[in-house]
Amino acid sequence: MATTEQRTTYAAPGHPDSPVTLRERYENFIGGEWVAPTTGRYRANVTPGTGETFCEISSSGPDDIELALDAAHAAKDAWAQRSPAERAAVLDAIADAIDANREMLAVAESYENGKPVRETLNADIPLAADHFRYFAAAVRAEEGRISEIDDQTYAYHFHEPLGVVGQIIPFNFPILMAAWKIAPALAAGNCTVVKPASPTPWSILKLCEVIGDVVPAGVLNVVNGPGAEIGKALATNKRIAKIAFTGETVTGRLIMSYAAQSLIPSTTELGGKSPNIFFADVMAEDDAFLDKAIEGLILYAFNKGEVCTCPSRALIHEDIYEPFMERCLERIRAIRQGDPLDLATMIGPQVSTAQMEKIESYVKIGRDEGAELLIGGERPEVDDDLAGGFYFEPTVFKGTNDMRIFQEEIFGPVLAVTTFKDDADALAIANDTMYGLGAGVWTRDGARAFRMGRAIKAGRVWTNCYHQYPAGAAFGGYKASGVGRENHRMMLDHYSQTKCLLVSYDPNPMGFF
Amino acid sequence: MADRVRATEEALEVIERLRAAHGPLVFHQSGGCCDGTAPMCLRADELPGGPNDACLGHVGGAPFFIDADQDRRWGAPTFVIDVAAGASESFSLEAFEDVHFVTHTPSEGL
């Protein structure tokens, strides 16, 4: 991985040259303060770039969830009574703090998760800030509705906060996925108890460090620890009014069953196996659009494939398969893999050994079921100082959609490619999956793009683009990909009660008794 | 129908300890994002097998379920349940021992 080109690499957090300060251990963030876990236990937190431990994080128990809920319930009435303009001002102040600390948060998240710092600097962190601004604006623009039932009777509809909510965050975008959940909850007037993912408990605490002064105490609480213990303690707690979860399907079923037992709402986002469809006309010209489409295929390696909407199935028209894949493979060979804190790095390590081993097992499954390995498939050679890291090469298999590597979300940089004959064939393959979170359609024919986009059973169909997540574009799943939407003002409804005041101005009795 | 799942000796030892600590157990093969391909070990009453689940057999006395559609789409494979270092992110009970169960699909069958 040595190169003669000039590169810029950020120093590791805690180093005097790093923008990120580092403490030896981190407690929970409860009621605006750092609170040691009642268990007295801490767990080593590892950077996937080298496999080294860089700090200790609280390993909390159910009692710590109770402490966080105490703080949230103590804060909820005052927070709910703040005007939308006041709540929006807090969200804007969070966004300003994120912007002011963009580099620090980007390096922290990259170091903890393994995603390249060029992604966190340019996507994760700016999008997180924008998300808070979007919901600050949305809640200012929120209005109730009035129905005139008749000229003496009126239904006034008000949005009211749910109260205290529980939110469980995945490891793949530790700060952005937290922002997606926290911003609408707070905007709608709720307080929250957040449980970060076990592999990435720290970067969100760095966020708490910089927004602790602008968020009223108890409105936002973060508790770290094992999912089996505190995730469950949060999700089953009678003192939450809603639970939100992003993760895998069995825990999704558990979350929904816990919600059913408490009679509270839940929202779940459970992943996908997203088709990315390339029609023959993408190669009609050798131009910027073709270049964009090639990049669109290779976005399967974005965030080392640890994305719920990873475009992990590429469907390519049979007439262009050979020349198009040749161009794509050439670009894949040029991917620079290595230290996530190096600005030139395009793909970093997987988040954990467990994820890396899972990817290896799926490469074996792909080979066993007869898929053709076009590139990758191994752990790469890396510099000696990265030898303990969890790296896996960007990998491409060619096969058919009935293979297991086409049907299961591998959550790594593994692409399964197949061909199609015509629009109907493409649509049938695209929809032949349990999941329905994302999809991509690439064509120069606008009418075809529209028809395909409407027919694909997925919550988000990127059309001539992929992996863009602007606030204001609703995101969520069809089928087994979960229930609910994020990233849109409709989230305010997911975090609100509807109060109807039905008012009669008629002085006369109804006449029944 | 013959079982399509078994567990390694190491996994059976963990299962036995979990049963002693938590009571009767159930396994569900997960799917989807994050820890999606892992088998989840839960208390038996936590998530019983549902009408759309297939039971592939038992490991250490605990029934092993998979979503029937997922099973079909995966090609009705055989599974060997093993254990690896490091806690998973999920609610699976073996996290208490700082290990996680993994599902292997042996190319030669059980």
Side-chain angles (χ1 to χ4, degrees), chain B residues 11-97:
Chain B
L12 288 171
E13 286 173 18
V14 176
I15 294 168
E16 196 45 51
R17 284 199 296 277
L18 293 176
R19 188 201 326 283
H22 303 287
L25 304 172
V26 62
F27 278 84
H28 285 269
Q29 175 62 42
S30 197
C33 120
C34 303
D35 288 325
T37 50
M40 303 289 163
C41 178
L42 307 167
R43 291 182 183 88
D45 58 1
E46 192 111 35
L47 189 65
N52 301 313
D53 289 324
C55 183
L56 302 188
H58 290 73
V59 284
F64 189 101
F65 292 101
I66 183 171
D67 176 272
D69 184 34
Q70 184 176 342
D71 185 43
R72 181 182 65 77
R73 291 179 176 281
W74 285 17
T78 53
F79 293 133
V80 175
I81 306 308
D82 201 355
V83 68
S88 82
E89 168 52 22
S90 71
F91 291 12
S92 197
L93 289 170
E94 78 280 10
F96 289 109
E97 297 203 9

Side-chain angles (χ1 to χ4, degrees), chain A residues 43 168-172 195-199 225-229 231-232 235-236 245-251 253-255 257-258 261 269-272 307-308 353-355 357-358 361-362 364-365 368-369 401-404 407-411 431-435 479, chain B residues 27-43 45-54 65-79 83-96 98 100 102-108:
Chain A
R43 191 177 61 80
I168 300 178
I169 314 297
F171 62 70
N172 57 347
K195 194 273 196 227
S198 299
E229 199 156 7
K232 184 181 170 189
T236 56
F245 171 75
T246 297
E248 33 69 39
T249 56
V250 167
T251 306
R253 282 172 64 177
L254 272 178
I255 292 286
S257 73
Y258 294 150
Q261 284 158 21
E269 196 267 87
L270 306 177
V307 191
C308 295
T353 51
Q355 293 297 322
E357 288 165 3
K358 173 174 76 175
S361 81
Y362 265 93
K364 176 179 172 293
I365 287 168
D368 285 349
E369 63 189 347
N401 198 56
D402 57 353
M403 291 177 170
R404 194 164 148 194
Q407 290 294 333
E408 179 52 0
E409 182 168 11
I410 298 172
F411 227 59
N431 283 336
D432 184 10
T433 171
M434 282 175 68
Y435 302 104
K479 301 195 279 188
Chain B
F27 278 84
H28 285 269
Q29 175 62 42
S30 197
C33 120
C34 303
D35 288 325
T37 50
M40 303 289 163
C41 178
L42 307 167
R43 291 182 183 88
D45 58 1
E46 192 111 35
L47 189 65
N52 301 313
D53 289 324
F65 292 101
I66 183 171
D67 176 272
D69 184 34
Q70 184 176 342
D71 185 43
R72 181 182 65 77
R73 291 179 176 281
W74 285 17
T78 53
F79 293 133
V83 68
S88 82
E89 168 52 22
S90 71
F91 291 12
S92 197
L93 289 170
E94 78 280 10
F96 289 109
D98 204 29
H100 64 281
V102 290
T103 304
H104 292 309
T105 303
S107 34
E108 68 282 4

Side-chain angles (χ1 to χ4, degrees), chain A residues 20 35 40 143 151 177 361 464 491:
Chain A
V20 189
V35 180
E143 292 179 358
D151 65 353
M177 289 302 102
S361 81
N464 293 331
M491 283 293 282

